[in-house]
Amino acid sequence: MFDFKIHVNCPNTFARVGSFSTPHGIVRTPQFMPVGTMGTVKGITSNQLKETCAQMILANTYHLHINPGEKIVKDSGGLHKFMNWEHPILTDSGGFQVFSLGKLNEINDQGVSFRNHRDGKRIELTPEKAIAIQMNLGADVIMAFDQCPPYSASRDDVEIACRRTHNWLERAVQAHTRKDQALFGIVQGGCFHDLREQSLKTVSSFNLPGLAIGGVSVGEPTEEIHKIVRHLAPFLPERVPRYLMGIGSIREMSIAVANGIDLFDCVLPTRLGRHGAALVRDERWNLRNSCFRNDFDPLDKTCTCETCTNYTRAYLHHLIRSNELLGLTLLSLHNISHLIRFVRAIATAIEDGCFSEDFAPWQKDSIARHTW
């Protein structure tokens, strides 16, 4: 049911093109996954999302547990039917909220006790409960519950987080019983390369259908993320999809792909869209700026998304300056299409044998120069 095939390897890097079979379809890799935390990619309908060529999206266990609750989702027929998305879905375990809601939780070896960020009520999340929630949600890929330490954590604290993450993974494997879901383990270790290597070895020993590199985008400089991925690249298991959590800029994705990463997710495209910003080539444009007032060109002349096909920069500027919701939707649609188009271009370059020339991260201007 879950089969990962590698179709092409880059001879000069660790980059590869593959396909990951799931109950709701095949995911071509490398692939960017838009984030739909609450069962919705913010401001975008399922039909609009399909038009971006998104193949797999992400939802969040912690937030869906709080509202509407996994029972309602299960009673509706599962998350796919609940949100009208017929393609693959991945659910995060809530482990990132251990980091992002650090001021609202208490951690011990059993699990994490959260104070609900909405009403202050206590929520207990254990590896077993995170798995139970995700089995009720019914995503194709689910994540083991992990402890995600902040960048500022000491080595001792990161070692404790690794130990807990590995113990929690063992408990998650025992609790998971749905054969139509793929359970991924998560590699932790902070910026300590030896701890990362040990964690990868431990997580890989469970022979799961996929794994993720977590604990990045937690306050560290982006160069630290690159160092982590570069260090792990030679040790990553070959025959499973590899997922780098929380990454979504084209530079970071190109470097990660060069080091063997297959899957990415990030809130960046919709968050920028909601703030009136568009991704165009390797730049971020603020559509509030007056320079777009009389600019009747498409947002990106090379893009075929709904936004760029039908609307001008002047119209988008008008919508954003007028605080019209349509403007935020159109920019979000374009930004998602932009990143998905980018990873598709990377896949084509790998297949054509020119990835190391056209997208090599050590060529500082290569991404901006390449036509995609």
Side-chain angles (χ1 to χ4, degrees), residues 125-147:
L125 203 55
T126 64
E128 294 82 3
K129 187 169 183 178
I131 292 295
I133 294 170
Q134 292 181 90
M135 287 195 294
N136 283 328
L137 294 174
D140 301 88
V141 175
I142 68 172
M143 305 303 299
F145 192 50
D146 63 320
Q147 182 179 348

Side-chain angles (χ1 to χ4, degrees), residues 110-128:
Q110 180 62 25
V112 181
S113 176
F114 291 91
R115 190 167 70 251
N116 189 323
H117 64 284
R118 293 191 175 190
D119 59 17
K121 294 180 180 178
R122 302 302 288 185
I123 298 172
E124 301 294 332
L125 203 55
T126 64
E128 294 82 3

Side-chain angles (χ1 to χ4, degrees), residues 262-317:
D262 305 301
L263 298 169
F264 310 88
D265 80 281
C266 191
V267 298
L268 180 71
T270 50
R271 179 173 290 170
L272 288 176
R274 295 196 305 277
H275 288 84
L279 296 168
V280 182
R281 315 307 297 159
D282 197 19
E283 300 175 344
R284 297 181 186 181
W285 292 3
N286 184 352
L287 269 294
R288 294 183 182 275
N289 290 344
S290 59
C291 62
F292 298 110
R293 181 182 178 89
N294 297 303
D295 189 339
F296 303 107
D297 283 334
L299 180 59
D300 183 346
K301 297 177 182 179
T302 68
C303 182
T304 60
C305 76
E306 178 183 351
T307 304
C308 294
T309 302
N310 297 294
Y311 303 101
T312 66
R313 298 169 184 174
Y315 181 62
L316 294 168
H317 168 78

Side-chain angles (χ1 to χ4, degrees), residues 75 193 244 314 358:
D75 290 347
H193 289 181
L244 182 59
D358 291 342

